[in-house]
Amino acid sequence: MTTEPDDHTPHTVLVVYASAAGSTAEIAEFIGNRMRDSGLQVRVASVADDPDPADYEAAVLGSAVHNRALLPEFSAYIRQHGPTLRRRPTWLFSVGMAPGLRGPLGYPLKHVTPPAITQVRNQLHPCGFQQFAGIFARPDGLGVRVVVRLLGARFGDQRDWPAIGAWTDVITARIDTARPPTRYPAARGEL
């Protein structure tokens, strides 16, 4: 039996991240590996590597959040590549303490999106955004530990891998069904 050569090449996705202590980088790698397992061609890179999103059909962007702000290098990457990212399907995620908050003091803050993230969302108009909890090291100062405990945060690894996987699967399905077949790398400016 003879088969025709398959002219379809996997869709190309850039997963780019800014990580302070490694938690966000590990989430980005997990997202990239899960997308690869679904047949997408994925590059996972730090914003420090300055990957050009014009070489990819879609992008997933993530940053750690410290003091309700995105990491400065992530914000710089968005400023530099914003026009290109606006012309591609883009998803955003953040990694911080808020999604891990519990209790009467922390729960209301769990659902508040920091203004820095709202600004990026308004700038890029992404297809989706998700906040994930990260790894929370025990702070040195007693005062900080008390405040963190009052907010209902727990120390240690709070990442919810099944939730991260489910979110990744939604993105993968959207890319696979909404994008026409292409060749790697995606042509610049082509959508």
Side-chain angles (χ1 to χ4, degrees), residues 4-52:
E4 294 295 316
D6 186 3
D7 197 32
H8 178 269
T9 302
H11 295 293
T12 59
V13 181
L14 173 64
V15 178
V16 66
Y17 64 88
S19 188
S23 181
T24 305
E26 290 175 359
I27 290 173
E29 288 291 344
F30 176 88
I31 289 169
N33 288 334
R34 191 162 181 117
M35 288 180 157
R36 283 185 201 106
D37 290 346
S38 295
L40 300 179
Q41 189 141 3
V42 181
R43 176 180 178 197
V44 179
S46 167
V47 294
D49 297 334
D50 194 27
D52 187 352

Side-chain angles (χ1 to χ4, degrees), residues 43-178:
R43 176 180 178 197
V44 179
S46 167
V47 294
D49 297 334
D50 194 27
D52 187 352
D55 293 335
Y56 302 88
E57 295 173 80
V60 179
L61 308 155
S63 176
V65 174
H66 289 187
N67 297 321
R68 301 182 45 82
L70 299 166
L71 296 182
E73 58 270 28
F74 183 80
S75 298
Y77 183 85
I78 296 299
R79 279 191 304 277
Q80 179 182 352
H81 295 289
T84 301
L85 291 166
R86 281 192 296 276
R87 293 190 308 266
R88 279 161 178 63
T90 303
W91 287 263
L92 296 174
F93 71 93
S94 65
V95 179
M97 183 181 289
L101 298 179
R102 294 165 176 72
L105 295 177
Y107 187 78
L109 296 174
K110 180 178 190 165
H111 302 288
V112 175
T113 302
I117 295 172
T118 301
Q119 181 181 5
V120 171
R121 288 173 68 184
N122 290 340
Q123 181 182 355
L124 295 181
H125 305 288
C127 299
F129 166 71
Q130 186 64 50
Q131 296 183 82
F132 297 116
I135 298 174
F136 308 125
R138 183 181 165 99
D140 292 332
L142 176 62
V144 175
R145 284 198 306 268
V146 169
V147 169
V148 169
R149 284 294 190 186
L150 286 173
L151 290 173
R154 293 179 290 173
F155 303 120
D157 191 346
Q158 302 301 312
R159 293 173 294 183
D160 184 345
W161 296 110
I164 296 166
W167 186 70
T168 302
D169 293 346
V170 168
I171 296 169
T172 300
R174 176 114 182 249
I175 291 169
D176 251 354
T177 59

